[in-house]
Amino acid sequence: MNRSTPLMFGALALASLALAACHGDRTDKPPHQFLPDMDDSPKWKNQGKSEFFADGRTMRPAVPGTVAFGRWDIDPKAAEGQAWAVSFMDERANLLREDDAFYRGTDAAGKYVARIPITVDAGLLRRGEERFNIYCAACHGYAGDGAGMVGQRWTAPPPSFHDPKYSDPREPDQKGTDGFIFFTALNGVPGPEGHVTPADDSDTVMRKLAALKMPSYKHALSARDAWAVVAHIRVLQETQRGTLSDAPADKRAALEAAKAKLPPAPESGAAPKGTP
Ligand code: HEC
């Protein structure tokens, strides 16, 4: 045992006392900060001010000439049959959302596309029916006639999709185009002051939101889902317009038999029934 041993024991005993004192204790005093710059590290927010950069902005503009990830043009002809190139171009298109028709429902000139830009098959129709019944039917009704339970009590009356202006793509206001319905599904219908823009202050945002006629469904529907909903609305319209001769010949007899069993049609002019 040398002379420093008792000192060491003393220090250890003190240290363990100090630690024991921390354990489970409650105190109103501010905690000790041994490394304050790690507890409270400086933080910059995207839109915040910076003293460091000459332009005063924390968020840095892209360096001139920067190329976004994946922004590399591959000649689609050269890519044909090359799996890696096809998936690369797919990934790129999704990342940069460059396909206006698919993501925005518009063509290069900014006009709504007349027709759904993806293949409409049974799977898409099923998806569209399901999404429509979840997100749109409450107001627009399961039959698309505007008589949904919420719609009947909503601040603005939802229109019926059987109004011919929602099916003729040549209507001057473009409301009959697939692109318009797609756009409306994703963006809703704003009030008299229009859509919310990034330049709006919080009062304006609240005012615009309070006045909106139809909420946007961007948070709930992917672009593909929104096209599926458009396809289902087209199906609903067809159910009201179609005649027996539109059905395949081998299905007509069964349809006639089903029709014969239906209760008589309600008197015209009767109030629309609430949808189930
Ligand atoms: C909360 C009720 C509500 C829901 C849910 C709703 N809508 Fe609407 N929608 C409305 C109202 C109200 C209007 C009429 C707005 C107006 O007065 O211009 C409307 C109008 C529309 C129009 C026509 C817009 C125009 O300018 O003519 C389309 C198309 C439409 N909705 C599609 C949809 C689709 C698709 C969904 C589901 C994704 C949906 N809506 C869900 C209430 C709703």
Side-chain angles (χ1 to χ4, degrees):
M1 214 190 219
N2 61 35
R3 265 204 294 154
S4 63
T5 315
L7 254 178
M8 249 175 65
F9 276 123
L12 266 176
L14 265 178
S16 51
L17 260 181
L19 283 177
C22 293
H23 190 77
D25 264 8
R26 283 167 193 274
T27 170
D28 293 331
K29 284 190 222 144
H32 292 295
Q33 290 189 311
F34 297 107
L35 300 165
D37 57 340
M38 290 187 80
D39 284 343
D40 309 307
S41 55
K43 173 181 176 186
W44 286 275
K45 296 202 167 160
N46 293 350
Q47 308 286 345
K49 219 168 106 181
S50 160
E51 319 257 274
F52 184 80
F53 294 107
D55 64 4
R57 287 192 284 179
T58 293
M59 197 159 57
R60 306 312 306 147
V63 175
T66 309
V67 177
F69 168 73
R71 188 182 268 275
W72 176 32
D73 277 321
I74 298 181
D75 176 5
K77 280 236 168 63
E80 233 168 78
Q82 305 227 34
W84 73 268
V86 172
S87 74
F88 182 92
M89 291 199 310
D90 253 19
E91 191 189 347
R92 179 195 117 136
N94 279 319
L95 189 76
L96 302 176
R97 305 193 157 218
E98 278 185 327
D99 186 341
D100 275 346
F102 181 68
Y103 287 108
R104 281 169 276 281
T106 51
D107 62 17
K111 287 187 83 179
Y112 293 117
V113 294
R115 289 282 164 252
I116 300 175
I118 52 174
T119 312
V120 177
D121 54 19
L124 193 81
L125 291 179
R126 268 196 298 274
R127 176 81 180 167
E129 177 178 23
E130 184 198 53
R131 297 293 106 178
F132 180 92
N133 289 348
I134 293 173
Y135 294 114
C136 319
C139 288
H140 288 280
Y142 286 91
D145 54 4
M149 289 309 251
V150 174
Q152 293 178 33
R153 295 157 180 82
W154 191 244
T155 42
S160 164
F161 295 133
H162 307 300
D163 181 327
K165 76 173 169 194
Y166 293 119
S167 22
D168 185 353
R170 292 158 307 175
E171 281 274 309
D173 59 7
Q174 293 194 284
K175 290 197 178 187
T177 58
D178 289 346
F180 172 77
I181 295 178
F182 170 87
F183 180 88
T184 308
L186 291 182
N187 295 285
V189 182
E193 284 186 83
H195 287 283
V196 171
T197 73
D200 291 340
D201 60 37
S202 55
D203 284 350
T204 314
V205 170
M206 294 316 283
R207 218 175 41 244
K208 284 183 174 178
L209 289 183
L212 70 74
K213 292 177 169 172
M214 177 185 136
S216 99
Y217 285 87
K218 237 184 213 143
H219 61 286
L221 301 172
S222 66
R224 199 180 154 74
D225 281 347
W227 286 120
V229 165
V230 175
H232 181 64
I233 291 176
R234 295 305 186 212
V235 169
L236 291 177
Q237 291 173 333
E238 208 50 49
T239 62
Q240 305 300 306
R241 271 198 304 250
T243 61
L244 199 59
S245 56
D246 293 326
D250 59 331
K251 300 276 193 304
R252 287 178 202 162
L255 285 170
E256 285 282 23
K259 189 180 169 199
K261 280 192 216 147
L262 283 177
E267 268 175 61
S268 62
K273 277 241 197 79
T275 41

